[in-house]
């Protein structure tokens, strides 16, 4: 069986084709996407040009994804990839510090999956199974509080009391040249050593890693400044000098450590819940005979019982029974699909109203697990966030070291003592220590995150502030994003001479016996949620037990409900029937009434057609052998969606709608002048591929809410998730909208513009500072202490600038 040209799903015996499109497709949605986007560059060529492209398709082995603690820059990625590549049996590796993940392609005959975490836990990095990461690491907090909060502050206290006064010409409190001075200096040296080698260990490791990876980074320059001042002060202490600069070492380490810890807090938000959603190995299933089995014991052809409220554990077919199946999580379709004997079902979908027996498919594959693997692959294959300061470091670090060396050599050549020449070199390293440069990006980002949070936008990855400015296309998922994704009663129409209220009340009376999603929407719409829950309707055991058998009789009448009661209720395939006030009332699918030959007025036929044209579900209500009304069930569009797409269009961005629903459900969006393209009936596997194809023409932002959107969110340059959606979708996103407010999307773009302006201001100041301070250090105007003060002043200016609001809104 061949695969779909777009998403590689099986195309079946009747593939979708068209004379103007090359290839065969699994569904109409994939065909439409291919027809509309067939003029983009060949994706194989695009992948070959992308920096994160890998030859994984040619690798004949296994792939695993590991969680790695300790990554904080692109150099960490390079080092871990290099380390993994040196291991026997490893064919390729890709790391992503944005998601704390490394993907490893390996030969299981040469190295086992259990051995890989140990082999990659080097140089302070800790690798573990991605599906079960360790608890949150508090090591950075401990290092900062113990090394900086105690020992660092003790050393600085001695400086304030005993050393700083002497720098301004005051007599020392103690004899610095005697035993008391030796004891004091020994304590300061010990405290500074703890701060440098304990608190500063991650920074020193980053410097070591950058040297191993041949990619100079800011950790290297910070380490050079901290260790140089420490080494100079230690040497000066041994030769009896009192101009010690251990305070410079302490200040540099504590400032950078605090910044790195804050960054790690932001980064952990991006991947915190993924493991909880993907522990598939712990699943159990129930056989047709009622026996409980572990999921990994199930094989092709096994028959499994799935009760209402439970997820279908594996892809397969319905072997026995009929049920409404909620496929929204997997396909994005808002309306449940009725599945009968012989119909295919996907693993991860939810049986809603009746128990069914599922025969497991040939591959015993769970579609939800497939989506999770796809998400992991996309996330891990994306290179980490390459900050501007990291790119500049490859030039800035060697340049500063060269300037310091040349300055020291020139001073020595002019006849100065070696210790004075070393002092000049040290001053250059300290004054150019990139605290201002290093703080410029994270503080600007922190200000953007702060202002976004005030507007109900959680930024879970600082990639937002790089990617959003370049976005050309904004893709919206329909169900749950442009619409609220909840089934509800939208409208009611009655034939002439019949009360609409009577149609609604009679429909609710009989539908109370059914737990089909459409029935629940009707009952909730007529009686209200509070009244609905007060009745004794058929229930499930925590969502896992079978529904009550309708043959046991109608639900118990509740006197509190001001609605007619139904008796002799019968729930069947496409509807419900019962007696209300002596009349037989039937509620259900229009085809049910056509089979019975019940007449329908033109008014009601028109209402039925209107409901279907809008992508909603028309439900007939009839009694006395005639259709008396039509109830329309569907999901509502979100308030303000038209203004949102209009704002994005006015901002020069292309707007695309992507949905798993049919063309009728998406028609209302296709007619909006601000929407450039609508792709309907697109399966989840094809959503990520569609985003990639759209990305061939420019950067793409994806706005979605469901697990079926997660791969597309991860594949986009910028992923924006609605908080009412699934955890998996939020975990794949770069930003999450907490209050379901679509107007937050254009606000997010405005926030990123403001953040980028602030970032440029901070970087501009940092470069101006270095351009002035380094020549002053070379000329001898500054000593290490004044250099440290200048560096601190520069950092304070950056902090103050970043404290201002990034975006105040309208």
């Amino acid at each position: 069986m061949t695969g779909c040209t777009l998403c590689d799903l099986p195309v079946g015996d009747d593939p979708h084709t068209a004379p103007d499109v090359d290839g065969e497709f699994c569904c109409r949605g994939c065909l439409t996407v291919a027809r509309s986007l067939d003029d983009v560059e060949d994706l194989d060529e695009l992948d070959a040009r992308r920096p994160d492209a890998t030859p994984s398709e040619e690798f004949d082995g296994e792939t695993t994804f590991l969680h790695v603690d300790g990554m904080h820059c692109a150099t960490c990625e390079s080092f871990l990839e290099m380390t993994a590549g040196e291991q026997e049996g490893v064919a390729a590796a890709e790391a992503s510090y944005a998601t704390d993940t490394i993907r490893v392609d390996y030969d299981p005959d040469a190295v086992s999956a259990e051995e890989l975490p140990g082999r990659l836990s080097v140089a302070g990095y800790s690798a573990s199974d991605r599906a079960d990461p360790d608890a949150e690491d508090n090591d950075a907090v401990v290092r900062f509080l113990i090394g900086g909060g105690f020992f660092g502050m003790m050393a600085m206290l001695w400086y304030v009391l005993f050393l700083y006064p002497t720098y301004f010409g005051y007599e020392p409190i103690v004899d610095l040249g005697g035993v008391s001075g030796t004891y004091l200096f020994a304590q300061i040296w010990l405290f500074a050593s703890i701060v440098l080698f304990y608190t500063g260990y991650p920074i020193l490791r980053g410097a070591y890693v950058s040297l191993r990876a041949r990619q100079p980074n800011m950790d290297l320059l910070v380490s050079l400044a901290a260790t140089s001042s420490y080494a100079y002060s230690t040497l000066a202490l041994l030769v009896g000098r009192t101009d010690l600069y251990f305070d410079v070492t302490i200040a540099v380490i504590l400032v950078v450590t605090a910044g790195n810890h804050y960054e790690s807090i932001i980064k952990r938000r991006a991947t915190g819940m993924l493991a909880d959603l993907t522990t598939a190995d712990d699943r159990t299933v129930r056989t047709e005979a009622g026996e409980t089995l572990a999921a990994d014991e199930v094989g092709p052809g096994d028959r499994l019982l799935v009760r209402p409220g439970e997820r279908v554990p594996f892809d397969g077919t319905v072997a026995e029974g009929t049920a409404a199946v909620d496929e929204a999580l997997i396909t994005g379709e808002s309306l449940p699909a009725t599945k009968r004997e012989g119909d295919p079902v996907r693993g991860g979908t939810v049986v809603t109203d009746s128990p069914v027996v599922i025969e497991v498919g040939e591959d015993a594959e769970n579609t939800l697990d497939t989506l999770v693997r796809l998400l992991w692959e996309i996330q891990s294959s994306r290179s980490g966030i390459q900050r501007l300061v990291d790119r500049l470091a490859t030039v800035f670090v060697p340049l500063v070291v060269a300037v310091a060396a040349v300055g020291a050599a020139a001073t020595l050549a002019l006849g100065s003592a070696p210790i004075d020449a070393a002092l000049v070199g040290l001053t250059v390293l300290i004054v150019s220590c990139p605290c201002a440069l290093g703080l410029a990006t994270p503080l600007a980002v922190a200000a953007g995150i702060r202002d976004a949070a005030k507007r109900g936008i959680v930024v879970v990855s600082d990639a937002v502030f790089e990617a959003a400015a370049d976005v050309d296309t904004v893709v919206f998922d329909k169900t749950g994003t442009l619409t609220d994704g909840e089934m509800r009663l939208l409208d009611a129409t009655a034939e002439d001479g019949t009360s609409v209220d009577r149609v609604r009340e009679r429909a609710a009376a009989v539908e109370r016996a059914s737990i089909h999603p459409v029935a629940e929407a009707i009952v909730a719409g007529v009686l209200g949620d509070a009244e609905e829950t007060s009745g004794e309707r058929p229930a499930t055991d925590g969502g896992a037990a079978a529904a009550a058998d309708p043959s046991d009789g109608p639900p118990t009448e509740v006197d509190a409900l001001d609605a007619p009661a139904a008796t002799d209720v019968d729930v069947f395939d496409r509807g419900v029937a019962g007696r209300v006030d002596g009349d037989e009332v039937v509620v259900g699918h229009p085809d049910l009434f056509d089979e019975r030959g019940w007449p329908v007025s033109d008014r009601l036929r028109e209402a039925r057609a209107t409901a279907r044209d809008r992508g909603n579900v028309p439900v007939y209500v009839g009694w006395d052998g005639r259709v008396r009304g039509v109830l329309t069930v569907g999901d509502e569009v979100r308030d303000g969606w038209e203004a949102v797409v209009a704002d994005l269009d006015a901002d020069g961005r292309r707007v695309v709608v992507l949905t798993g629903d049919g063309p009728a459900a998406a028609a209302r969006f296709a007619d909006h002048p601000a929407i450039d393209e609508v792709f309907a009936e697109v399966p989840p596997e094809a959503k990520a591929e569609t985003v990639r194809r759209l990305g061939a023409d420019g950067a793409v932002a994806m706005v979605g809410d469901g697990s079926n959107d997660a791969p597309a969110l991860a594949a986009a340059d910028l992923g924006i998730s609605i908080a009412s959606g699934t955890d998996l979708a939020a975990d794949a996103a770069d930003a999450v909208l907490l209050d379901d407010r679509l107007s937050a999307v254009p606000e997010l773009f405005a926030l990123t513009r403001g953040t980028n302006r602030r970032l440029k201001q901070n970087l501009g100041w940092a470069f101006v500072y270095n351009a002035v301070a380094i020549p002053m250090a070379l000329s001898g105007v500054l000593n290490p202490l004044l250099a440290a003060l200048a560096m601190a002043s520069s950092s304070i200016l950056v902090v103050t600038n970043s404290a201002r609001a990034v975006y105040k809104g309208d």
Side-chain angles (χ1 to χ4, degrees):
M1 182 179 294
T2 59
C4 174
T5 302
L6 184 72
C7 68
D8 290 331
L9 286 179
V11 298
D13 297 329
D14 187 21
H16 292 258
T17 60
D20 58 335
V21 182
D22 293 332
E24 297 181 340
F25 303 89
C26 63
C27 63
R28 188 186 309 164
C30 287
L31 173 61
T32 302
V33 170
R35 176 184 287 116
S36 298
L37 303 179
D38 62 356
D39 58 342
V40 303
E41 299 177 66
D42 182 77
L43 287 180
D44 291 334
E45 296 179 5
L46 284 172
D47 289 340
R49 298 205 322 265
R50 287 168 54 174
D52 58 352
T54 61
S56 57
E57 294 182 2
E58 300 176 4
F59 175 68
D60 186 16
E62 295 186 8
T63 298
T64 188
F65 299 87
L66 300 177
H67 175 88
V68 183
D69 283 325
M71 287 196 289
H72 69 277
C73 68
T75 309
C76 297
E77 297 173 343
S78 300
F79 176 77
L80 286 167
E81 290 168 0
M82 180 179 65
T83 300
E86 294 172 350
Q87 304 299 316
E88 182 182 358
V90 174
E94 279 188 275
S96 169
Y97 89 85
T99 56
D100 287 335
T101 303
I102 183 169
R103 166 184 171 151
V104 182
D105 294 337
Y106 68 99
D107 181 359
D109 295 330
V111 59
S112 66
E114 292 74 18
E115 293 176 303
L116 287 173
R119 294 193 181 187
L120 296 182
S121 297
V122 295
Y125 298 104
S126 178
S128 60
D129 184 355
R130 175 73 192 268
D132 187 24
D134 296 331
E136 180 178 323
D137 183 17
N138 292 317
D139 185 59
V141 178
V142 173
R143 288 180 187 276
F144 185 81
L145 292 178
I146 294 179
F150 182 74
F151 293 104
M153 292 304 101
M154 285 296 295
M156 296 305 296
L157 178 61
W158 293 162
Y159 265 95
V160 171
L161 293 178
F162 302 111
L163 294 182
Y164 287 157
T166 66
Y167 295 169
F168 296 98
Y170 294 99
E171 289 295 324
I173 299 177
V174 298
D175 182 9
L176 298 179
V179 175
S180 298
T182 301
Y183 177 69
L184 174 67
F185 292 147
Q187 286 191 70
I188 293 176
W189 174 84
L190 177 62
F191 295 156
S193 299
I194 294 174
V195 172
L196 176 61
F197 297 109
Y198 179 65
T199 304
Y201 169 75
I203 299 171
L204 298 177
R205 181 194 63 191
Y208 163 76
V209 165
S210 75
L211 293 174
R212 282 284 309 271
R214 296 183 177 87
Q215 292 185 8
N217 63 3
M218 286 303 166
D219 281 343
L220 179 57
L221 190 52
V222 171
S223 297
L224 284 173
T227 56
S228 296
S229 58
Y230 176 84
Y232 172 87
S233 300
T234 302
L235 179 61
L237 178 62
L238 293 176
V239 300
R241 296 174 64 104
T242 60
D243 53 335
L244 308 181
Y245 299 103
F246 291 117
D247 54 339
V248 174
T249 299
I250 293 170
V252 168
I253 292 297
L254 293 187
V255 168
V256 176
T257 298
N260 287 343
H261 177 59
Y262 180 70
E263 288 183 77
S264 69
I265 293 175
I266 296 173
K267 187 172 62 174
R268 276 197 295 269
R269 294 175 185 171
T271 54
M273 296 178 290
L274 184 57
D276 295 336
L277 295 164
T278 56
T279 51
D281 294 338
D282 295 332
R283 291 197 317 269
T284 58
V285 297
R286 186 182 296 105
T287 67
E288 183 180 14
E291 180 184 1
T292 300
L293 295 176
D296 56 7
E297 297 178 6
V298 176
D302 288 351
R303 292 165 65 97
L304 306 177
L305 175 64
V306 185
R307 297 175 176 177
E310 293 182 337
R311 292 195 183 280
V312 176
F314 297 96
D315 294 352
T317 57
V318 178
E320 186 178 319
T322 301
V325 177
D326 182 357
E327 298 181 317
L329 186 67
I330 301 299
T331 66
E333 295 182 8
S334 56
L335 305 179
T338 300
K339 299 292 183 179
R340 302 176 178 84
E341 288 188 24
D343 288 346
V345 287
R346 290 183 170 184
T349 57
V350 181
V351 173
T352 63
D353 58 351
S354 300
V356 291
V357 175
I358 304 297
E359 183 175 318
V360 178
E362 182 178 348
D363 297 328
E365 187 174 54
N366 183 302
T367 300
L368 184 58
D369 289 344
T370 302
L371 291 175
V372 169
R373 287 197 299 273
L374 177 59
L375 169 61
W376 279 2
E377 289 175 5
I378 292 173
Q379 282 188 323
S380 65
S381 66
R382 292 171 66 183
S383 60
I385 306 166
Q386 187 65 35
R387 288 184 168 179
L388 176 60
V389 290
D390 285 328
R391 294 193 293 267
L392 293 172
T394 59
V395 175
F396 186 71
V397 173
L399 179 62
V400 167
V401 173
V403 170
V406 170
T411 303
L412 186 62
L414 292 174
S416 298
I419 192 73
D420 294 329
L423 199 60
V424 170
L426 173 61
T427 303
V428 171
L429 289 176
I430 292 173
V431 81
S432 64
C433 179
C435 287
L437 190 60
L439 289 171
T441 297
L443 289 182
V445 167
I449 292 172
R450 176 199 64 207
D451 291 355
K454 292 179 181 178
R455 296 177 173 274
I457 305 170
V458 174
V459 176
V460 296
S461 169
D462 48 8
V464 169
F465 300 102
E466 294 184 25
D470 300 325
V471 167
D472 302 296
T473 302
V474 181
V475 180
F476 285 94
D477 170 59
K478 183 189 78 71
T479 305
T481 304
L482 292 176
T483 66
D484 58 21
E486 296 181 5
M487 298 289 291
R488 64 184 66 200
L489 180 60
L490 301 179
D491 194 15
T493 304
E495 71 172 355
D496 294 337
T498 303
S499 166
V500 171
D501 288 341
R502 192 180 189 196
V503 170
R504 286 160 46 92
E505 290 173 358
R506 285 196 163 193
V510 295
E511 288 284 31
R512 289 180 58 214
S514 172
I515 58 174
H516 190 284
V518 172
E520 292 183 333
I522 292 173
V523 173
V526 175
L527 304 180
D529 291 333
E531 294 162 329
E532 175 195 359
T533 55
S534 67
E536 298 182 17
R537 301 179 62 210
T540 62
D541 183 11
D549 190 332
S551 64
D552 293 340
T556 303
E557 179 179 351
V558 180
D559 296 335
L561 296 179
D562 185 19
T567 59
D568 300 330
V569 178
D570 185 18
V571 180
F572 36 88
D573 186 6
R574 288 177 291 180
V576 184
R579 303 199 71 81
V580 180
D581 296 334
D583 295 329
E584 182 190 23
V585 177
V586 181
V587 183
H589 194 282
D591 290 349
L592 175 65
F593 294 82
D594 292 341
E595 293 173 359
R596 296 190 174 201
W598 287 23
V600 185
S601 67
D602 291 340
R603 172 185 173 87
L604 298 184
R605 290 185 186 276
E606 182 179 348
R608 168 187 175 180
T610 299
R612 287 186 169 173
D613 288 344
R614 293 177 178 175
N616 297 318
V617 177
V619 179
Y620 277 180
V621 182
W623 59 85
D624 291 338
R626 182 179 182 84
V627 178
R628 303 288 182 169
V630 177
L631 302 181
T632 300
V633 177
D635 58 344
E636 287 273 24
V637 294
R638 290 188 186 273
D639 293 337
W641 74 271
E642 292 179 292
V644 169
V645 297
D647 286 346
L648 294 173
D649 178 65
D651 207 22
R653 293 182 169 90
R654 181 186 182 196
V655 180
V656 175
V657 174
L658 198 60
T659 179
D661 281 342
R668 63 183 126 178
F669 303 106
D671 295 334
H672 196 283
I675 294 178
D676 298 274
E677 196 89 50
V678 174
F679 296 117
E681 296 183 327
V682 180
E685 295 86 352
K687 286 185 176 182
E689 187 70 10
T690 302
V691 168
R692 290 181 60 218
R693 287 180 178 262
L694 289 168
D697 292 327
V700 176
M702 173 73 189
V703 187
D705 78 307
S707 286
N708 66 91
D709 301 323
L713 288 168
D717 298 277
L718 175 63
I720 304 173
S721 173
I722 303 292
S724 60
T726 67
D727 290 339
L728 185 58
D731 206 72
D734 300 303
V736 181
L737 312 183
L738 290 181
D739 54 6
D740 295 356
R741 187 171 52 88
L742 272 184
S743 59
V745 174
E747 287 178 6
L748 177 61
F749 286 109
L751 279 164
T752 58
R753 284 195 298 268
T755 301
N756 284 327
R757 284 195 301 267
R758 186 65 46 78
L759 173 59
K760 292 175 182 178
Q761 292 169 0
N762 288 348
L763 288 175
W765 163 250
F767 279 112
V768 169
Y769 158 77
N770 279 285
V772 173
I774 291 177
M776 291 178 66
L778 287 171
S779 65
V781 175
L782 299 177
N783 62 28
L785 178 60
L786 292 177
L789 292 175
M791 180 192 69
S793 300
S794 177
S795 299
I796 290 172
L797 183 60
V798 169
V799 171
T800 303
N801 188 46
S802 296
R804 298 184 297 116
V806 170
Y807 169 69
K808 296 181 180 179
D810 298 329

